[in-house]
């Protein structure tokens, strides 16, 4: 039998500080990346609600970017997502706007790919 910690049972194994703003954001990025054909060369992320309000403090920006590059929510590389993107030549930007009556943890991805 494997050893489990309370954190393995209670919440996701992740790079923190927030299950919704980091782990959830990394999953959103990975899902978006899986939906496109070709390699992502540029992405604009438009953040709404609490994502817009706390994206820097909770690491949402790094987590979204990391997920787009294929990193999982428990990957230590999330902390270095900006540096990894630079090495890969991935162009990215974040803007914040009120998108109306959407979930507070909403992001709109505008993705440009190279031919696959």
């Amino acid at each position: 039998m494997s050893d489990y910690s309370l954190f393995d049972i209670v919440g996701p194994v992740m790079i923190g500080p927030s299950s919704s703003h980091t782990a959830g954001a990394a999953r959103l990025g990975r899902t978006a990346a899986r939906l496109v054909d070709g390699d992502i060369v540029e992405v604009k992320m438009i953040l709404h609600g609490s994502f817009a309000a706390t994206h820097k403090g909770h690491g949402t920006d790094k987590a979204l970017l990391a997920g787009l590059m294929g990193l999982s929510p428990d990957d230590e590389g999330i902390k270095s997502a900006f540096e990894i993107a630079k090495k890969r030549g991935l162009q990215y930007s974040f803007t914040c706007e009120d998108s109306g009556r959407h979930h507070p943890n909403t992001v709109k991805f505008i993705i440009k790919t190279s031919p696959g």
Side-chain angles (χ1 to χ4, degrees):
M1 181 171 161
S2 298
D3 291 329
Y4 294 99
S5 77
L6 177 62
F7 297 107
D8 293 326
I9 297 165
V10 173
V13 176
M14 61 170 212
I15 302 302
S18 168
S19 60
S20 60
H21 288 123
T22 45
R27 287 188 179 109
L28 286 171
R30 284 183 64 145
T31 299
R34 289 181 184 143
L35 294 173
V36 299
D37 291 324
D39 294 326
I40 299 173
V41 295
E42 183 178 347
V43 61
K44 296 177 183 178
M45 291 165 271
I46 302 168
L47 308 175
H48 166 76
S50 63
F51 268 11
T54 64
H55 67 282
K56 291 181 182 178
H58 285 197
T60 305
D61 48 4
K62 291 178 183 178
L64 289 167
L65 187 59
L68 284 163
M69 295 185 294
L71 280 65
S72 63
D74 64 343
D75 194 312
E76 290 284 335
I78 289 175
K79 297 174 185 176
S80 304
F82 298 147
E83 293 82 12
I84 295 168
K86 185 176 181 177
K87 287 179 186 174
R88 293 185 182 186
L90 175 59
Q91 300 295 311
Y92 62 91
S93 63
F94 299 93
T95 58
C96 300
E97 71 177 40
D98 183 346
S99 299
R101 298 183 64 173
H102 290 99
H103 189 281
N105 295 350
T106 295
V107 59
K108 178 179 181 180
F109 297 98
I110 301 172
I111 297 173
K112 181 179 177 182
T113 60
S114 64

